[in-house]
Amino acid sequence: MLETVDLECVRGDRPLFSHLSFTLKPGELLHVTGVNGSGKTTLLRTLCGLTRPQTGEIRWNGTAIRKLGDDYHAQLAYVGHTNGIQGDLTPAENLKVATNLSGVADGAEIPATLKRLGLSAYHRFPAKILSQGQKRRLALARLMVERKPLWILDEPLSGLDVDSVSLMTTILMEHLAQGGLIIITSHQDIDIQTKTVLQIRIN
């Protein structure tokens, strides 16, 4: 379970948001909305432990994440605006690195994951030759092989075509059905067929 208590974040001297509290339980998705510059990305980075809040606390299973340190980071997968892939490595090699870093040493799911995301034909080519949409799909493929319970995603559907958006929506629903937790920002509507979608708007 992830919870925030009276969270406040600032950028420079400007408060972005304050008194932000929510609880996210297994099987739930939190959709964060707001205009550009309102602090959505700052919120996600704060929830990842990459940015310190001005005030308030973030807790994972009842313990402040600042006390958990790497034990908390081991529970989450973050995909930001940048894809976080190595252009000189092949798609398979990128996923192998991700699984090794997350402790999933066998990497047995990599071929099937690449096939499902339409990237099998490029398994021998460096990732830098991929289109922007393909690079985005490769970044999101990390979610499927790292086996982390908490996914924090910043505009994950950006750059994807209609079919890819449909596929990623299905993958998100599968993660929720398995008891995963998702926090997502998106300017697009998210057609998640579940009653566990929460929503907050940052003004």
Side-chain angles (χ1 to χ4, degrees), residues 95-96 99-100 104-111 145 147:
L95 296 187
K96 183 62 175 176
T99 56
N100 287 341
V104 186
D106 56 14
E109 299 176 1
I110 292 176
V145 299
R147 306 176 191 172

Side-chain angles (χ1 to χ4, degrees), residues 88-154:
D88 291 330
L89 300 182
T90 67
E93 289 170 341
N94 269 279
L95 296 187
K96 183 62 175 176
V97 169
T99 56
N100 287 341
L101 290 175
S102 64
V104 186
D106 56 14
E109 299 176 1
I110 292 176
T113 300
L114 290 175
K115 181 177 181 180
R116 187 176 185 188
L117 292 177
L119 296 171
S120 292
Y122 304 94
H123 72 283
R124 295 183 179 179
F125 297 94
K128 61 187 176 185
I129 74 161
L130 300 177
S131 69
Q132 288 303 312
Q134 289 167 335
K135 289 177 180 176
R136 197 60 174 167
R137 275 184 275 151
L138 177 57
L140 296 170
R142 296 200 333 256
L143 303 174
M144 302 170 63
V145 299
E146 288 181 341
R147 306 176 191 172
K148 303 294 184 68
L150 174 60
W151 292 1
I152 299 181
L153 314 175
D154 199 354

